């Protein structure tokens, strides 16, 4: 809304006085006109939602909703078209996908559901008209995030495969292999 920027600036002041931070999540390649540069600067970090490039709302356009190319474009957009620096950005990665098998009823599914059907599905990005991110793509996105922004944001952790094929484990291993020190929550 028109009052968004003023609200965000006022909220940041109130949160700072309480020792709290403030974040936001914005679409991959959209900066809404009513968000001023001053308002963008108030966020401690911004999560780039580099997913949902297609889905149930666009049932005649089946395909990958969160490709590596989408991630690159999203990072480039936020780093080069806004006042936000890479160290205040995180790259959003999806733990879900969309099934376009029935264009009259495109539905979402979780990565965990795909892997429970067949473990080999963890290594690819689509099965028929079901599109998602497999471990190799997530690994590539982690490398991109480590080079261009401050990290990754996951939507949504509960959609992972809680097995050896876990995307979260893939993210942690890739960051570890890249020599990035993570929190103690990741045991390194």
């Amino acid at each position: 809304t028109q009052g968004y920027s003023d609200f965000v600036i006022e909220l940041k002041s109130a949160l700072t006085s309480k020792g709290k931070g403030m974040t936001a999540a914005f679409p991959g390649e959209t900066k809404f006109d009513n968000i001023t540069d001053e308002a963008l600067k108030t966020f401690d970090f911004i999560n780039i939602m580099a997913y949902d490039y297609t889905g149930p709302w666009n049932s005649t356009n089946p395909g990958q909703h969160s490709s590596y190319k989408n991630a690159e474009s999203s990072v480039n957009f936020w780093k080069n078209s806004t006042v936000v620096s890479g160290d205040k950005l995180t790259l959003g990665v999806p733990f879900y996908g969309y099934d376009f098998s029935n264009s009259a009823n495109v539905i979402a599914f979780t990565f965990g559901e795909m892997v429970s059907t067949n473990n080999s599905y963890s290594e690819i990005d689509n099965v028929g008209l079901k599109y998602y991110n497999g471990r190799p793509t997530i690994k590539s996105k982690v490398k991109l995030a480590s080079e261009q922004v401050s990290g990754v944001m996951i939507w949504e952790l509960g959609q992972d495969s809680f097995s050896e094929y876990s995307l979260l484990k893939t993210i942690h291993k890739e960051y570890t292999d890249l020599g990035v020190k993570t929190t103690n929550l990741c045991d390194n």
Side-chain angles (χ1 to χ4, degrees):
T1 65
Q2 267 188 333
Y4 181 83
S5 289
D6 291 338
F7 169 74
V8 165
I9 292 164
E10 186 176 336
L11 179 60
K12 176 62 175 181
S13 178
L15 290 171
T16 300
S17 72
K18 303 285 186 194
K20 305 289 182 187
M22 187 170 70
T23 69
F26 291 122
E29 296 180 60
T30 302
K31 179 199 163 282
F32 299 104
D33 291 338
N34 59 348
I35 302 175
T36 65
D37 288 349
E38 184 182 6
L40 283 176
K41 290 177 184 178
T42 65
F43 294 108
D44 294 296
F45 63 90
I46 291 173
N47 297 299
I48 304 169
M49 298 186 297
Y51 39 77
D52 287 350
Y53 277 78
T54 192
W57 56 91
N58 197 4
S59 61
T60 60
N61 187 28
Q64 185 53 256
H65 79 100
S66 184
S67 68
Y68 181 81
K69 183 178 178 188
N70 295 143
E72 285 181 313
S73 298
S74 296
V75 166
N76 288 335
F77 173 83
W78 279 95
K79 284 181 67 177
N80 300 316
S81 301
T82 72
V83 296
V84 184
S85 63
D87 64 337
K88 291 182 78 173
L89 297 170
T90 62
L91 176 62
V93 295
F95 282 19
Y96 66 95
Y98 292 111
D99 181 355
F100 289 90
S101 299
N102 178 355
S103 64
N105 187 30
V106 176
I107 58 171
F109 60 87
T110 71
F111 178 77
E113 290 170 333
M114 290 304 294
V115 172
S116 71
T117 302
N118 185 323
N119 292 338
S120 69
Y121 292 169
S122 67
E123 304 307 308
I124 56 179
D125 290 337
N126 73 288
V127 175
L129 293 174
K130 292 181 177 182
Y131 298 90
Y132 58 99
N133 283 181
R135 294 189 317 164
T137 297
I138 293 294
K139 187 176 176 181
S140 295
K141 288 181 178 184
V142 168
K143 186 171 186 319
L144 173 68
S146 74
E147 295 168 350
Q148 299 288 321
V149 296
S150 67
V152 296
M153 174 271 290
I154 298 164
W155 190 263
E156 179 266 324
L157 190 57
Q159 298 172 334
D160 199 4
S161 170
F162 300 98
S163 69
E164 65 189 277
Y165 304 100
S166 164
L167 294 177
L168 181 61
K169 287 180 183 178
T170 300
I171 291 168
H172 176 254
K173 182 176 181 332
E174 182 63 10
Y175 270 125
T176 300
D177 290 350
L178 291 168
V180 175
K181 177 81 172 133
T182 60
T183 66
N184 290 334
L185 296 173
C186 294
D187 295 328
N188 76 346

